[in-house]
Structure formats: structure tokens, C-alpha cells
């Protein structure tokens, strides 16, 4: 079974930057839709960003202009570049990749100081 592992999270100051990566144990093709969700304490999991099969990008209104999603520069890697971080960005970030079904990672914590 394919597994996804997120990395790159941790502590950041408000206004800082982080780069999250989503690496797959399986093959990642250019046509595989990929994306990110996040879940803050006491909140529902919400959409962050995605890349479609045709390489179109979509962003949540909460992060638009501050994040960039890409399919990565290495094999089996998708990235989420975040800048101008806000305390409200504090959450566990989950990546997903679509094959015949949607596969989710186990999550990576991002903490932004207030």
C-alpha cells in the first residue's frame, strides 16, 4: 500500500516561511492530482491548495497569495511553499495524492508564534 510522508514543518515566527514536502513511497506522475489540507486545534480540516491533473493550481482564500503548491523538483515529491506566515496558519498539514483513490499522509505540525 502506498504511504505518504510530510516533512518540513515545525516552529516559525509570524512573517516567516516554511516549505512542506510530501513524499510518496510509490511513483508520482505528472498527471496525479496533489494537494494539501490542514486542521487547526478545535477546527475542521480545511482545504489549502491543490494541483489538478492538467497542472492548474487552486488555493484557499485564507492562504492565497502566501502559498505556492508545486509537484516538486525530485521524484515522488510535492511541495507547499509558505511565506508571510500568520498565527492562524498553525495546524497539522496533510498532503494527498490521487491515483485510483485518494491517499493521505499522516500529517505534519506547523506552529506559528503569536
Amino acid at each position: 500500500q502506498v504511504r505518504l510522508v510530510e516533512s518540513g514543518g515545525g516552529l516559525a515566527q509570524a512573517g516567516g516561511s516554511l516549505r512542506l514536502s510530501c513524499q510518496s513511497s510509490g511513483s508520482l506522475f505528472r498527471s496525479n492530482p496533489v494537494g494539501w489540507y490542514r486542521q487547526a486545534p478545535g477546527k475542521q480540516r480545511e482545504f489549502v491548495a491543490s494541483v489538478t491533473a492538467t497542472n492548474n493550481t487552486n488555493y484557499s482564500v485564507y492562504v492565497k497569495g502566501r502559498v505556492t503548491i508545486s509537484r516538486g523538483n525530485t521524484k515522488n515529491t510535492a511541495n507547499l511553499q509558505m511565506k508571510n506566515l500568520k498565527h492562524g496558519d498553525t495546524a497539522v498539514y496533510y498532503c494527498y495524492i490521487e491515483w485510483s483513490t485518494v491517499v493521505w499522509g499522516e500529517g505534519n505540525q506547523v506552529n506559528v508564534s503569536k
Side-chain angles (χ1 to χ4, degrees), residues 48-109:
V48 177
S50 66
V51 181
T52 69
T54 54
N55 212 36
N56 294 317
T57 57
N58 301 286
Y59 297 98
S60 165
V61 297
Y62 304 113
V63 301
K64 194 171 186 177
R66 301 190 296 111
V67 306
T68 302
I69 188 171
S70 68
R71 295 184 181 274
N73 296 319
T74 60
K75 188 177 181 180
N76 301 327
T77 300
N79 300 315
L80 186 73
Q81 181 70 52
M82 302 186 291
K83 65 179 181 181
N84 193 23
L85 288 166
K86 303 176 179 180
H87 180 65
D89 295 322
T90 296
V92 177
Y93 285 70
Y94 301 88
C95 70
Y96 71 84
I97 301 177
E98 295 184 24
W99 287 276
S100 58
T101 185
V102 179
V103 178
W104 291 88
E106 295 182 352
N108 192 220
Q109 180 72 52

Side-chain angles (χ1 to χ4, degrees), residues 10-16 41 43 84-91 110-114:
L11 299 175
Q13 295 183 343
K43 304 293 184 180
N84 193 23
L85 288 166
K86 303 176 179 180
H87 180 65
D89 295 322
T90 296
V110 171
N111 290 309
V112 183
S113 63
K114 184 176 182 179

